[in-house]
Amino acid sequence: MNHEAAVQDANFKRWPIVMALLIGAFVSILNQTLMNVALPQMMDDLGVGATTIQWLSTGFMLVNGVLIPISAFLMERFTTRMLFISAMILFSAGTFICGIGSSFELVLAGRLVQAAGAGVLMPLMTVVFLTIFPIEKRGQAMGMMGIAMIFAPAVGPTLSGWVIEHHPWNVLFWIIFPFAILSIFLGFIFMKNVTQVGRPKLDVLSIILSTIGFGGVLYGFSEAGSTSWGETEVVVSLIVGVVSLGVFLWRQMRSDKPLLEFRVFRYDMFSLTTIINVVVTMAMYAAMILLPIYLQKIRGFSPLESGLLLMPGAILMGIMSPITGMIFDRIGARWLAVVGLGITAVTTWEFSNLTDSTTYTHLILMYTARMFGMSMLMMPIQTAGLNQLPARLNAHGTAMSNTLRTIAGALGTALLVTIMSSRAKEKATEMILTAGINPKDPSNAQQVALITRDATINGIDFAFVVATGITLVAFVLAFFIRKVQVNIEGQDSENEENGMKPAKA
């Protein structure tokens, strides 16, 4: 089935399909952000330590990250309808298990089942949107998808903070559960098969290499963020992951029917926009990780107050996402990306000047402005790259883009947390030596606490400086984005056979 045929086939029921996908994607992403605020209370209720409770997030991320590369194979093997309904049933089952969970083991099992569904859902949604919408409306479609991908992570902390202050943590899962069930019903009623289905051979060795490779790298980055880069567990995990990925890459390049198609990087705009998205994702985690630390640990704001600070930016992003999608359809991604990254760079730099007296109003304004800049970036840039790929590579391009962004998120978190911690330790040591005090003397406890607070703020500020530098790299690259002609399957195949580059506008 080519793109035009798929569009005609799905046109009449297009928006019900979109609604089912958006609800499913929204709750799956919201589910992850709700957890972050709830972990301290869950740690107390389930009787486990901080290292153990983190597996509720780490385990979810690992299963999610491992399944994304396999999603291209699943989309070629199974129908759209079957894959969507199966993913949402898995996610709903996992949510139910977490809701009734009274032990850490049961909740962890539920989280892993959730992740098995969520890992397939996001790549599937991207491919369906690319298939059912005509080229001239892809920006608007991907902007709608951006509502789920951007709005949910921003709303999560506020909702979670309110629930945790007034209700048991299980309520978080019961809030999500009915929406997941609704998405299943919508899938049964409205979902259509819009992608071509074949019987590709299952490459078991590639799945094993992919699982060990991506799982090892993601686990290593995650642990480095919570411990240190020098830990044996982190080093071994990264080495095993990188070596496995090397062998996986070699096997994919030699295969006629690879599990994950690395030849998508032969398309220059896809490669460029993927690099920009990876860099932007790393920078985005600066505010997502560092700001809550500053608000709650340094300034003493409650989780609900911290979440409310993020709310105006979340609402603005939700409003702007479809608007920037429509602008993209008219002018392309370059100037959206340039303006958005310019705003993001300036506001990220502003966060490098935090003090112990920075006003709540200033923080809201800067964060909201930063989210406004971000709303011009993620989906337009990704769409610009995917537009260059022929329809037969949509699933592989989507899987590659989502996989690299998942890794970038883990790497960005680990890198910026490590930078913040190292800088804070260095600054604290320097300030203690300058003051000439003995930190082990109980009489100096108050002074040491003040030094620790100031050193932590300095560490957070320095991490934002690094994040600003990362953003500027993406800003420069954005000037090289250009509009491309969407490939026609036959021409593209001929060009590849003759060693030619894909056609460009």
Side-chain angles (χ1 to χ4, degrees):
M1 181 187 296
N2 60 28
H3 175 75
E4 289 73 23
V7 170
Q8 292 171 5
D9 185 56
N11 189 55
F12 185 69
K13 297 286 188 180
R14 182 186 296 158
W15 289 107
I17 291 174
V18 169
M19 187 59 63
L21 287 165
L22 282 179
I23 293 174
F26 183 82
V27 295
S28 69
I29 299 173
L30 181 65
N31 163 76
Q32 181 61 5
T33 57
L34 289 175
M35 287 295 298
N36 296 334
V37 178
L39 289 179
Q41 183 173 327
M42 295 179 74
M43 187 168 61
D44 293 336
D45 290 353
L46 298 175
V48 295
T51 305
T52 303
I53 202 70
Q54 282 299 324
W55 272 100
L56 295 181
S57 291
T58 304
F60 185 95
M61 184 184 69
L62 285 174
V63 174
N64 213 325
V66 164
L67 270 172
I68 290 173
I70 304 172
S71 63
F73 165 81
L74 295 175
M75 281 185 270
E76 290 179 7
R77 178 64 182 83
F78 301 103
T79 65
T80 312
R81 190 169 186 269
M82 181 188 298
L83 206 53
F84 174 75
I85 293 172
S86 299
M88 287 311 303
I89 287 174
L90 276 173
F91 181 81
S92 301
T95 304
F96 179 80
I97 293 169
C98 289
I100 64 172
S102 57
S103 67
F104 171 78
E105 291 77 14
L106 189 59
V107 176
L108 178 60
R111 291 287 289 163
L112 298 181
V113 174
Q114 274 187 328
V120 175
L121 186 60
M122 292 308 298
L124 177 65
M125 180 169 70
T126 304
V127 171
V128 171
F129 274 38
L130 290 175
T131 304
I132 68 175
F133 283 90
I135 304 306
E136 65 274 11
K137 292 185 178 180
R138 275 187 179 177
Q140 181 184 359
M142 297 294 274
M144 292 292 294
M145 195 172 88
I147 295 176
M149 295 185 67
I150 298 168
F151 190 58
V155 170
T158 307
L159 177 60
S160 184
W162 182 83
V163 169
I164 291 301
E165 285 190 12
H166 297 90
H167 304 282
W169 55 264
N170 304 72
V171 172
L172 293 172
F173 296 105
W174 295 123
I175 290 174
I176 291 172
F177 186 69
F179 290 101
I181 296 298
L182 173 62
S183 190
I184 294 173
F185 280 120
L186 290 175
F188 271 113
I189 297 170
F190 297 116
M191 187 58 65
K192 302 294 182 183
N193 300 323
V194 299
T195 55
Q196 188 174 4
V197 177
R199 292 196 174 274
K201 184 180 179 181
L202 181 61
D203 187 348
V204 177
L205 180 57
S206 288
I207 290 178
I208 294 172
L209 289 170
S210 170
T211 302
I212 296 174
F214 288 112
V217 169
L218 285 169
Y219 179 75
F221 286 153
S222 176
E223 285 299 295
S226 57
T227 55
S228 73
W229 291 95
E231 289 288 328
T232 304
E233 191 176 8
V234 172
V235 174
V236 171
S237 179
L238 289 175
I239 290 174
V240 171
V242 169
V243 171
S244 298
L245 283 180
V247 179
F248 175 70
L249 172 59
W250 173 80
R251 185 172 178 83
Q252 302 316 293
M253 296 303 293
R254 288 174 57 89
S255 174
D256 293 331
K257 295 288 184 181
L259 181 70
L260 188 59
E261 180 60 270
F262 282 84
R263 295 180 185 89
V264 291
F265 290 114
R266 293 173 60 181
Y267 298 85
D268 55 355
M269 276 304 101
F270 176 81
S271 300
L272 176 63
T273 54
T274 300
I275 292 170
I276 294 173
N277 247 332
V278 164
V279 173
V280 168
T281 301
M282 291 177 64
M284 183 174 67
Y285 274 75
M288 290 179 64
I289 300 299
L290 300 174
L291 209 53
I293 294 174
Y294 169 79
L295 291 170
Q296 296 182 42
K297 300 295 184 183
I298 305 298
R299 301 300 299 276
F301 292 120
S302 69
L304 180 58
E305 289 172 321
S306 301
L308 287 173
L309 187 143
L310 310 180
M311 182 62 77
I315 294 172
L316 183 60
M317 284 194 90
I319 294 171
M320 284 301 298
S321 192
I323 294 174
T324 54
M326 288 185 282
I327 296 172
F328 167 84
D329 287 331
R330 290 180 175 272
I331 68 171
R334 179 194 291 173
W335 296 113
L336 275 172
V338 168
V339 173
L341 282 164
I343 294 171
T344 303
V346 171
T347 50
T348 303
W349 174 258
E350 276 296 313
F351 279 118
S352 70
N353 298 304
L354 297 174
T355 67
D356 61 354
S357 59
T358 303
T359 65
Y360 193 81
T361 302
H362 180 76
L363 291 169
I364 289 178
L365 290 174
M366 284 302 100
Y367 187 81
T368 303
R370 192 172 191 267
M371 292 299 100
F372 176 71
M374 285 279 185
S375 70
M376 302 182 189
L377 301 178
M378 308 298 283
M379 300 317 298
I381 292 174
Q382 183 179 11
T383 308
L386 290 172
N387 271 353
Q388 195 183 27
L389 300 180
R392 63 186 172 78
L393 289 179
N394 278 345
H396 287 280
T398 301
M400 183 68 73
S401 179
N402 281 283
T403 298
L404 292 179
R405 281 173 57 183
T406 301
I407 292 174
L411 175 58
T413 302
L415 180 65
L416 292 168
V417 168
T418 301
I419 289 171
M420 179 204 73
S421 302
S422 300
R423 177 75 171 197
K425 288 176 184 176
E426 292 173 8
K427 193 66 178 177
T429 302
E430 176 189 325
M431 293 170 72
I432 287 172
L433 290 174
T434 303
I437 63 173
N438 179 8
K440 296 182 179 179
D441 189 342
S443 62
N444 296 325
Q446 186 173 0
Q447 195 171 355
V448 170
L450 291 173
I451 288 174
T452 302
R453 182 200 65 185
D454 292 341
T456 303
I457 293 175
N458 185 270
I460 292 171
D461 287 350
F462 185 68
F464 273 113
V465 171
V466 174
T468 303
I470 294 172
T471 307
L472 288 174
V473 171
F475 177 73
V476 172
L477 292 174
F479 283 95
F480 295 94
I481 297 174
R482 70 180 190 282
K483 275 192 173 183
V484 294
Q485 179 180 325
V486 179
N487 288 293
I488 301 171
E489 290 290 339
Q491 289 181 354
D492 183 69
S493 299
E494 291 176 12
N495 288 343
E496 285 191 20
E497 288 172 7
N498 297 326
M500 297 168 60
K501 288 186 177 180
K504 298 169 189 152

